[in-house]
Amino acid sequence: MKSFLKGTAVWAIVMIVLIAINVICNINGINLDSVSNGAVMAVCVMLIYEGWAKKEKKDS
């Protein structure tokens, strides 16, 4: 259950950051492709979560 909550927290943080980037780009007239945004989000979440899990495993 802990890993699910950690993954959800990482996903929420990355999602908020990408929404902010998308809003800023839309205000400036730049339209971002949702397919590439989804791929970037998935990769970021996986890398951050794996790094977090490895760090916790190393500390214990």
Side-chain angles (χ1 to χ4, degrees):
M1 186 66 168
K2 282 185 179 180
S3 64
F4 177 74
L5 293 175
K6 288 177 195 173
T8 304
V10 171
W11 173 82
I13 292 169
V14 171
M15 183 66 136
I16 290 169
V17 169
L18 285 178
I19 287 172
I21 291 170
N22 216 350
V23 167
I24 291 169
C25 287
N26 284 339
I27 289 172
N28 292 321
I30 302 168
N31 292 323
L32 300 177
D33 185 26
S34 62
V35 174
S36 62
N37 261 355
V40 167
M41 185 174 88
V43 170
C44 287
V45 169
M46 286 187 328
L47 291 175
I48 292 170
Y49 178 76
E50 287 296 322
W52 190 4
K54 282 183 183 179
K55 183 180 178 194
E56 281 192 350
K57 199 177 257 189
K58 184 179 179 184
D59 289 343
S60 59

